Every structure is written in C-alpha cells, then in structure tokens.
Amino acid sequence: MLSAMAPEMSKNLRKEIITLHRKGEGYKKISKALHISQNTVAKVIQKFKKDGSATILQRCPGRPRKLTSRQERLLMRRVEENCHARSLQLAKAVESQTGVTVSRDTIRCTLQRNGMHGYRPRRKPLLKPMHKKAHLEFARAHAEKDGDYWDSILWSDETKITVFGTNGFKTVWHHKGEDFKEKCMVPTVKHGGGSVLMWGCMSAAGVGELHFIDGIMNSTMYCSILKEKMLPSLRALFQHDNDPKHTSKATAAFLKKNRVKVIEWPSMSPDLNPIEHLWGILKRQVEHHSPSSIQALKEVILEELKKTDVAICRQLVHSMPRRLGVVLTNHGGHTKY
C-alpha cells in the first residue's frame, strides 16, 4: 500500500479518492477499492474538506528539529561569542534563554549542520600588542627580499625530544573496548623516561651542525656552541631568537668579535622560523624507531638528521615570503605555520 506521505501518489489517484468520497463511500471501502491505506484516504479527504485541495504537503523526512530557526541563530551567536564553550554550557545557555531543554548531542548536531565542527585547538605563544607590532615591522621590512637573501641565512634553534611517549598529540584508531590493548597505548615511564635538549641549524643548502646540550645552558656554553658548530656552517647572515642567552652581553661580544651579522628577530615568533618545521619532521621520524634510552635516542636523531633531503630545507626556507604575507594579512597575528 502507498504511504500517506508517498510522493508517488498521482493527481488522478487523489481525484478518485475525492470522487468516491462524494459518492458517500467510507474510508475503508475507498482503501480497498484503490489499494491504499485508510490513513492516506483520511489525509486526502481531510485536506479537501479544509481548503478544497487534495494535495498533501510533504514533510521533510526524519525527526522534527528540536530547535526553531530563531533558536538556532541564538545558539550560533553564543558560539561566536565564546568558541571555547562546551556543548553542555551551550545547552544550558539555550535553555535559560528559550526554556527549551536540549541535549549535548542536539547542540553538536545543530552546530555541525551550520558548518561548525569541533577541533583540537592549536597551541600558539601569547601575543601582546607589542609582539604583533614587532611582527608587522619585521614583515614589512623583509617583504621584498628575494630568494638569494633568504638562502644566505643560517637558521638556528634549540629543541627537546623525549625518549618515551610522543612529542605531541597523536591519534590512535581502535575498536570499542580496546583502550588498554598494548598496541593502542603510548608507553610512559616514571619521570618521563628522559629527554635530550639540542641545538641545531639549517639553511637552504641543508642541515648544519648539531650539538646535544648536557645540563643547563648558559651564555658561556652557548658561545662555545656557536664557535664549534655555528661558525663552520655560517653563510652571510645568522638567525636566533631572543632567548636571554642569545642576547646576553657575552654572546653579543662573541658575535661582534667574529663579525657575525645577526638578523634582528621579533620576539614570540616561532612560526616565522623554518627550522621549527624541520624539528617537527625530525621528531616524527624519531618516533618510528621508539628508542628506549638516551644514548639510543641520540643515535637515532643523528641518523635521521643526516637523511634529511636538501630539498626539504630549501622548501622550508623558500616559504618565508608566504609566511610574511600571512603576517601582513593577519596584522601581526598568528599564522598557520
């Protein structure tokens, strides 16, 4: 039998229902004669009695929405005001203003239907107005620099890699109830299993020297690293950030004595330094080896760093004009890099 909502019901069939109804036939007889449900017959006749039309307006399939269009707009405004609000907070906000009780699932489905999806937030340094201003000034001063300029820079930075666990968020896919299967977990040990801190450098010509830092690095140690590792790799210009060890009087004196030209670097701008992405690539490669000791970790780091393709370094360095373009577009704010 045809459903009352079936779009297949023809205009002629609806006319037949009305004709039989006018002849005094009941719902049951009309249903049997036309081989359709009594519910369909009733809806067509009721519609005809109401407005003289036998056309049944079709309803959208699925369960009716809990929130009206106006209430959905209210919800979207609350999300725009606070994009960090949890679904439970939003549900309570909707209830307090509309009196409608909704579940967290309803909130999430409504947001997704309106193009809003939940993502793990990116972690970026806190930028104050002074930092944004410095970023803008740097971007404007270097926006017209050509490829030869960026190729002449030796980029440097310190980073840390741990022995156990991951060096960042990692997704694991598994079936329900497999949370504690060994293959689905990330192993940890007491006190973290140890880590290595290292200083490294790179240019468009490839990776440079690497130095593992033992203990706490001060300006004296830093100058020693620069002498042994930086000077042999130096091209025309040198870049490092504004860490106190990098800007100390002892470091400034060393750089001046060795006639090292240093780029004036804006604070809180790791997204402008292409070596940060080199570290990310290196850490992902190291994780594949799962080193279980500090010594094994150091060996893996050196091994993977040597494998780094020059093309990767060149590509990272040549991304500088694009990075500066985004800084200008975002008025000194964060970039995707």
Side-chain angles (χ1 to χ4, degrees):
M1 287 189 174
L2 292 174
S3 166
M5 298 302 173
E8 296 91 338
M9 180 181 288
S10 66
K11 186 177 181 180
N12 291 334
L13 180 56
R14 292 195 295 270
K15 285 183 177 180
E16 287 187 51
I17 294 173
I18 300 303
T19 299
L20 292 173
H21 170 66
R22 284 176 169 174
K23 291 180 178 179
E25 301 290 349
Y27 292 175
K28 188 174 182 180
K29 285 188 176 181
I30 296 174
S31 172
K32 286 185 176 180
L34 301 178
H35 304 289
I36 56 178
S37 69
Q38 291 185 48
N39 187 44
T40 299
V41 173
K43 285 186 177 294
V44 172
I45 294 174
Q46 289 168 10
K47 183 76 166 56
F48 176 74
K49 288 180 178 179
K50 183 178 180 181
D51 55 19
S53 171
T55 302
I56 301 175
L57 296 177
Q58 301 297 317
R59 181 175 67 84
C60 294
R63 183 179 178 182
R65 294 178 182 176
K66 190 74 177 285
L67 299 177
T68 64
S69 298
R70 183 173 179 276
Q71 291 166 343
E72 285 194 11
R73 291 195 296 271
L74 171 66
L75 171 62
M76 297 307 296
R77 285 198 297 272
R78 293 293 169 269
V79 176
E80 292 293 341
E81 292 169 0
N82 181 14
C83 64
H84 292 275
R86 291 176 172 273
S87 54
L88 181 59
Q89 291 176 293
L90 294 171
K92 289 181 177 179
V94 169
E95 183 177 0
S96 66
Q97 293 193 266
T98 66
V100 178
T101 302
V102 292
S103 67
R104 288 178 291 180
D105 287 339
T106 297
I107 293 294
R108 286 191 285 266
C109 289
T110 302
L111 294 178
Q112 290 172 5
R113 189 170 60 252
N114 285 273
M116 301 286 281
H117 302 276
Y119 299 95
R120 179 169 289 271
R122 299 293 183 92
R123 294 183 176 273
K124 292 281 190 176
L126 175 64
L127 294 182
K128 298 179 180 179
M130 56 182 278
H131 298 135
K132 294 181 180 181
K133 181 181 178 182
H135 290 177
L136 269 178
E137 291 176 351
F138 180 84
R140 288 167 180 162
H142 295 81
E144 302 301 323
K145 299 293 185 182
D146 59 17
D148 290 340
Y149 174 80
W150 300 115
D151 288 351
S152 69
I153 300 173
L154 181 68
W155 308 86
S156 71
D157 191 33
E158 294 91 24
T159 192
K160 181 174 72 172
I161 301 182
T162 57
V163 174
F164 289 92
T166 66
N167 295 286
F169 176 74
K170 191 174 184 179
T171 299
V172 57
W173 301 96
H174 60 73
H175 295 290
K176 185 177 180 180
E178 294 183 338
D179 311 58
F180 294 99
K181 281 194 173 183
E182 188 171 347
K183 67 177 183 179
C184 300
M185 295 188 295
V186 175
T188 62
V189 297
K190 194 174 182 179
H191 308 304
S195 61
V196 297
L197 179 65
M198 59 191 194
W199 176 95
C201 58
M202 63 162 278
S203 70
V207 296
E209 297 287 336
L210 184 73
H211 180 83
F212 293 113
I213 301 168
D214 295 322
I216 300 175
M217 184 171 71
N218 54 26
S219 57
T220 301
M221 182 189 295
Y222 185 60
C223 288
S224 177
I225 293 172
L226 295 182
K227 182 178 180 180
E228 295 179 14
K229 306 295 183 178
M230 182 271 287
L231 291 180
S233 302
L234 183 63
R235 311 194 86 184
L237 297 170
F238 176 59
Q239 178 277 336
H240 59 183
D241 59 29
N242 295 298
D243 185 281
K245 297 180 289 296
H246 302 170
T247 58
S248 67
K249 291 182 179 180
T251 302
F254 171 85
L255 294 171
K256 183 178 180 180
K257 179 182 178 181
N258 289 275
R259 299 180 180 180
V260 177
K261 295 182 179 179
V262 181
I263 300 177
E264 188 173 344
W265 195 251
S267 299
M268 309 296 286
S269 56
D271 51 350
L272 289 180
N273 193 346
I275 199 173
E276 292 284 355
H277 290 78
L278 177 65
W279 293 150
I281 294 171
L282 177 63
K283 290 175 182 180
R284 288 191 291 273
Q285 294 300 325
V286 169
E287 281 184 9
H288 294 319
H289 294 268
S290 301
S292 57
S293 68
I294 294 293
Q295 184 56 39
L297 177 59
K298 290 181 177 180
E299 292 174 359
V300 169
I301 290 172
L302 290 172
E303 176 187 345
E304 289 299 331
L305 197 62
K306 288 179 181 178
K307 294 179 183 178
T308 305
D309 194 332
V310 174
I312 293 177
C313 297
R314 186 183 305 114
Q315 183 179 6
L316 291 175
V317 172
H318 289 178
S319 69
M320 284 303 297
R322 295 194 300 274
R323 295 172 190 247
L324 298 181
V326 178
V327 171
L328 293 172
T329 301
N330 293 348
H331 306 291
H334 290 300
T335 72
K336 66 179 181 179
Y337 293 97

